[in-house]
């Protein structure tokens, strides 16, 4: 259908594409355009500023652990929380921001 072709251009991340494919798989006959767009985040733009703010908030909550555990601190759960909050955000940008802020707090890894 033509509206599929127009909307595919608005899917900008791997997460959005995976959600769109999952929606189409589960609704193969006459999928509803508005439900498809909602399910895969068409039109949702997550800015770098939003990512930086979300990372800062999570780092602040985890700051005591980060300072004591230093590079043993597992950033995975924190990244997962941010991805849940900002579902369509680019995971690589989140990881880069987490690493940058933590390095700024505890310094470069020396071992």
């Amino acid at each position: 259908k033509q509206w599929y072709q127009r909307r595919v251009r608005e899917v900008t991340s791997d997460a959005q594409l995976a959600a769109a494919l999952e929606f189409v798989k589960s609704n193969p006959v006459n999928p509803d355009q508005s439900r498809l767009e909602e399910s895969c985040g068409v039109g949702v733009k997550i800015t770098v500023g939003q990512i930086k703010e979300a990372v800062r908030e999570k780092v602040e909550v985890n700051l005591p652990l980060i300072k004591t555990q230093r590079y043993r601190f597992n950033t995975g759960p924190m990244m997962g929380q941010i991805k849940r909050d900002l579902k369509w955000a680019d995971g690589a940008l989140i990881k880069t921001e987490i690493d940058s802020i933590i390095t700024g707090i505890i310094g470069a890894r020396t071992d």
Side-chain angles (χ1 to χ4, degrees):
K1 295 194 176 199
Q2 287 185 352
W3 63 265
Y4 268 24
Q5 293 171 342
R6 285 193 310 269
R7 291 302 186 187
V8 165
R9 291 185 202 113
E10 296 179 29
V11 172
T12 59
S13 72
D14 290 342
Q16 286 178 311
L17 180 59
L21 291 173
E22 187 61 36
F23 180 86
V24 172
K25 272 193 334 191
S26 62
N27 299 282
V29 179
N30 296 324
D32 179 79
Q33 178 181 355
S34 61
R35 285 185 48 225
L36 169 65
E37 291 173 3
E38 183 181 331
S39 73
C40 68
V42 167
V44 175
K45 304 288 186 234
I46 303 296
T47 66
V48 172
Q50 287 173 295
I51 291 172
K52 287 181 180 217
E53 181 62 28
V55 170
R56 262 184 262 155
E57 288 173 7
K58 297 299 181 200
V59 166
E60 190 174 301
V61 168
N62 290 286
L63 193 57
L65 278 176
I66 292 169
K67 286 183 174 181
T68 57
Q69 294 179 356
R70 299 186 49 81
Y71 280 97
R72 292 183 315 275
F73 178 77
N74 183 0
T75 60
M78 184 168 55
M79 185 163 174
Q81 291 171 345
I82 295 166
K83 281 295 286 177
R84 277 189 295 282
D85 294 345
L86 302 175
K87 184 175 183 178
W88 307 118
D90 181 341
L93 288 177
I94 294 171
K95 177 71 171 127
T96 299
E97 188 62 20
I98 288 171
D99 291 346
S100 173
I101 289 177
I102 288 177
T103 300
I105 293 169
I106 60 178
R109 191 172 193 149
T110 57
D111 51 287

